């Protein structure tokens, strides 16, 4: 495929703003990205790349800000239709809204229609990669990967395994969880831009035997990630303690069954004990912060200080989270951190939604940054997408002040364009 030049403001991270501050970011007021064969070949000023590539066709986004596509590191696409369901905390919310909806995904047509709607929504919100839980049904995984593949998306997902504390009709068993997951690894892992993720839902809905079987499966496929939930609500933690009396803590229920390591991705992780933090740090596991979910379901306030020592990604947790938008998610992360006494800088928020999530998913060599060699998944943001945002951005003195109103007040109206694998899709 021929070269293509994409012009606009660019914001590229060359380091980690949590470690080195604002020197991590490079902003070009008149920037350009050269794309070839789905990959970023160069990033520089518009003048420089126009001079070296005079023949390349140009798409000029003017004042708009070009960023890597957002990466949602923890979502449940089957919960699309029950987002914003009222009045419950985690366990009641699962039983009242989530499990009845997830029962429907044995129907391949329903799963396909929901997956299609889900990806249409996430793309419209500027999200170009998702790591999603599916349901216990292999059909739900087929639907998810088929719809991602049809859109040329990089996507991660897995069959959610549960063999207890779930309704009849929404349980697998030790052997079928292993067999079905294994067959899905073989069918989808590494196909196009798709990755299979070994997915026990959480310790309360798996027997120790099922966790152990999934630990064996993960050992057989160490290049897959493993995703699950950890220490989201205090009631849930007490329940885990009663179900696993021999475990030292919640993390130990996974560790004891071979489900802890560098490729482990734990959603939420709000109420951690010191031992859990030490083990997560030592083993190189990742955490995913889901702030709209944590406020919506009333779970608690994630400690962003953990990002100093543990890989932390950012996620919607749709539909426990109350939005498909990673802009809304960044805004909630800002507010949660404020409630813990820390103001996250716009650079840190944007980094979390791109590089942070890519690192959490071990994809930092492929997505999440505007840099040569990275896959050309891009989001183009209109920094004046509503009158309220425009009048605030108008007074900005620098790029951070210009982008922060969009982070705090923006939604899908701010998404001017999305590029997938070097091709405009939106
Ligand atoms: N813990 C176990 N399952 C879920 C889920 O679907 N959503 C959230 N937020 N937490 C969970
Ligand atoms: Zn979740």
């Amino acid at each position: 495929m021929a070269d293509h030049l994409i012009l606009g403001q660019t914001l590229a991270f060359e380091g980690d703003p949590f470690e080195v501050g604002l020197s991590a970011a490079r902003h070009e007021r008149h920037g350009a990205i050269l794309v070839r064969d789905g990959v970023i070949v160069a990033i520089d000023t518009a003048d420089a790349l126009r001079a070296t590539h005079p023949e390349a066709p140009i798409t000029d986004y003017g004042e708009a800000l070009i960023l890597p596509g957002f990466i949602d590191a923890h979502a449940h696409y089957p919960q699309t239709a029950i987002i914003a369901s009222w009045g419950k905390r985690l366990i009641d919310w699962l039983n009242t809204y989530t499990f009845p909806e997830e029962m429907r995904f044995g129907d391949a047509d329903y799963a396909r229609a929901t997956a299609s709607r889900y990806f249409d929504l996430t793309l419209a919100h500027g999200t170009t990669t998702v790591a999603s839980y599916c349901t216990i049904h292999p059909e739900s995984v087929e639907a998810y990967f088929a719809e991602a593949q049809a859109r040329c998306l990089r996507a991660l997902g897995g069959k959610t395994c549960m063999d207890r504390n779930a309704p009849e009709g929404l349980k697998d068993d030790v052997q079928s969880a292993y067999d079905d997951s294994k067959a899905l690894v073989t069918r989808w892992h590494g196909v196009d831009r798709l990755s299979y993720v070994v997915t026990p839902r959480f310790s309360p809905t798996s027997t120790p035997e099922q966790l152990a079987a999934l630990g064996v499966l993960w050992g057989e496929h160490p290049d897959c990630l493993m995703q699950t939930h950890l220490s989201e609500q205090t009631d849930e933690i007490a329940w885990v303690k009663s179900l696993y009396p021999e475990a030292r803590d919640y993390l130990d229920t996974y560790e004891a069954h071979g489900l802890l390591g560098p490729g482990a991705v734990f959603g939420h992780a709000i109420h951690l004990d010191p031992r859990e933090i030490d083990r997560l740090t030592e083993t190189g596991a990742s955490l995913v912060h889901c702030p709209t979910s944590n406020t919506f379901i009333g779970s608690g306030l994630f400690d962003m200080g953990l990002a100093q020592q543990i890989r932390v990604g950012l996620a919607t947790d749709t539909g426990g989270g109350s939005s498909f938008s990673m802009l809304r998610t960044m805004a909630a992360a800002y507010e949660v951190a404020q409630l813990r006494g820390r103001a996250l800088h716009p650079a840190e928020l944007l980094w979390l939604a791109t590089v942070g999530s890519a690192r959490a998913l071990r994809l930092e060599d492929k997505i999440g940054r505007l840099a040569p060699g990275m896959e050309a998944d891009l989001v183009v943001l209109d920094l004046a997408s509503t009158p309220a945002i425009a009048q605030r951005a108008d007074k900005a003195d620098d790029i951070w002040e210009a982008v922060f109103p969009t982070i705090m007040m923006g939604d899908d109206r701010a998404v001017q364009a999305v590029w997938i694998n070097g091709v405009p899709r939106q």
Side-chain angles (χ1 to χ4, degrees):
M1 211 195 299
D3 289 353
H4 199 104
L5 265 182
I6 308 169
L7 271 48
Q9 300 198 62
T10 54
L11 193 52
F13 285 104
E14 292 163 355
D16 177 349
F18 285 92
E19 284 174 9
V20 299
L22 291 190
S23 65
R26 181 157 160 218
H27 171 236
E28 281 304 342
R29 181 79 190 70
H30 301 286
I33 296 167
L34 182 68
V35 169
R36 183 188 307 147
D37 295 331
V39 173
I40 296 173
V41 179
I43 171 166
D44 206 330
T45 63
D47 285 349
L49 286 183
R50 272 179 146 146
T52 50
H53 297 81
E55 308 294 322
I58 290 174
T59 302
D60 189 350
Y61 289 112
E63 300 282 301
L65 178 65
I66 306 169
L67 294 170
F70 297 134
I71 302 170
D72 187 344
H74 178 126
H76 300 255
Y77 96 82
Q79 298 170 14
T80 298
I82 55 126
I83 193 168
S85 290
W86 184 84
K88 303 288 181 194
R89 292 171 64 83
L90 178 59
I91 305 305
D92 289 342
W93 174 84
L94 285 172
N95 287 317
T96 308
Y97 298 118
T98 307
F99 290 161
E101 177 63 13
E102 291 194 8
M103 302 262 264
R104 305 177 75 173
F105 284 74
D107 176 345
D109 291 339
Y110 188 79
R112 193 79 189 238
T114 305
S116 175
R117 186 153 29 95
Y118 175 74
F119 282 122
D120 289 349
L121 285 165
T122 49
L123 276 173
H125 286 83
T127 298
T128 52
T129 288
V130 177
S132 182
Y133 292 60
C134 301
T135 68
I136 65 149
H137 314 94
E139 293 86 345
S140 74
V141 184
E142 289 292 326
Y144 175 77
F145 281 134
E147 289 297 320
Q149 188 178 40
R151 291 165 177 78
C152 298
L153 290 169
R154 180 163 286 288
L156 306 90
K159 174 192 132 66
T160 296
C161 300
M162 299 198 276
D163 68 344
R164 65 168 164 174
N165 293 318
E168 282 318 309
L170 199 62
K171 280 190 279 196
D172 49 21
D173 59 40
V174 174
Q175 194 62 45
S176 70
Y178 174 89
D179 290 344
D180 289 349
S181 300
K182 183 134 187 128
L184 289 162
V185 172
T186 307
R187 169 141 167 69
W188 288 109
H189 188 62
V191 173
D192 293 339
R193 305 180 75 202
L194 309 173
S195 304
Y196 191 83
V197 186
V198 176
T199 308
R201 180 174 217 118
F202 66 157
S203 294
T205 48
S206 287
T207 57
E209 293 73 26
Q210 184 174 72
L211 292 183
L214 293 174
V216 168
L217 177 69
W218 193 29
E220 291 165 354
H221 300 279
D223 55 326
C224 290
L225 298 179
M226 188 289 302
Q227 62 183 355
T228 191
H229 296 85
L230 176 67
S231 295
E232 181 176 359
Q233 291 209 341
T234 49
D235 293 357
E236 169 210 13
I237 296 166
W239 191 23
V240 170
K241 207 176 271 277
S242 71
L243 290 169
Y244 294 84
E246 71 293 349
R248 287 171 288 183
D249 46 43
Y250 197 157
L251 184 67
D252 197 33
T253 64
Y254 298 124
E255 185 172 2
H257 298 103
L259 295 170
L260 179 61
V265 183
F266 296 102
H268 305 289
I270 299 169
H271 310 281
L272 297 176
D273 289 343
R275 192 203 80 90
E276 294 177 297
I277 294 172
D278 287 348
R279 283 303 287 150
L280 288 162
T281 307
E282 284 162 14
T283 57
S286 302
L287 303 181
V288 184
H289 178 29
C290 308
T292 73
S293 169
N294 298 161
T295 52
F296 183 76
I297 311 187
S299 302
L301 306 176
F302 180 80
D303 176 9
M304 193 49 81
L306 293 170
Q308 303 291 344
Q309 60 196 85
I310 301 174
R311 291 167 179 248
V312 176
L314 192 65
T316 61
D317 191 28
T318 308
S322 55
S323 175
F324 295 95
S325 167
M326 290 297 286
L327 290 170
R328 273 296 309 135
T329 303
M330 284 181 253
Y334 179 80
E335 290 165 351
V336 165
Q338 279 283 57
L339 287 167
R340 293 193 62 120
R342 176 149 167 16
L344 290 172
H345 192 275
E348 293 174 321
L349 294 166
L350 291 170
W351 187 91
L352 283 168
T354 53
V355 196
S357 285
R359 286 178 77 233
L361 299 174
R362 305 255 155 203
L363 289 171
E364 65 267 37
D365 59 332
K366 295 189 170 59
I367 53 171
R369 282 184 305 125
L370 301 183
M374 305 298 282
E375 296 171 1
D377 289 346
L378 309 171
V379 59
V380 183
L381 294 181
D382 172 2
L383 300 183
S385 61
T386 69
I389 294 172
Q391 62 86 35
R392 179 62 187 91
D394 199 37
K395 297 188 176 50
D397 286 332
D398 62 20
I399 183 62
W400 306 118
E401 208 180 340
V403 74
F404 194 54
T406 290
I407 291 175
M408 292 309 299
M409 298 192 283
D411 52 29
D412 49 336
R413 290 169 291 180
V415 176
Q416 187 169 329
V418 175
W419 287 60
I420 300 296
N421 222 17
V423 177
R425 295 277 165 186
Q426 188 88 359

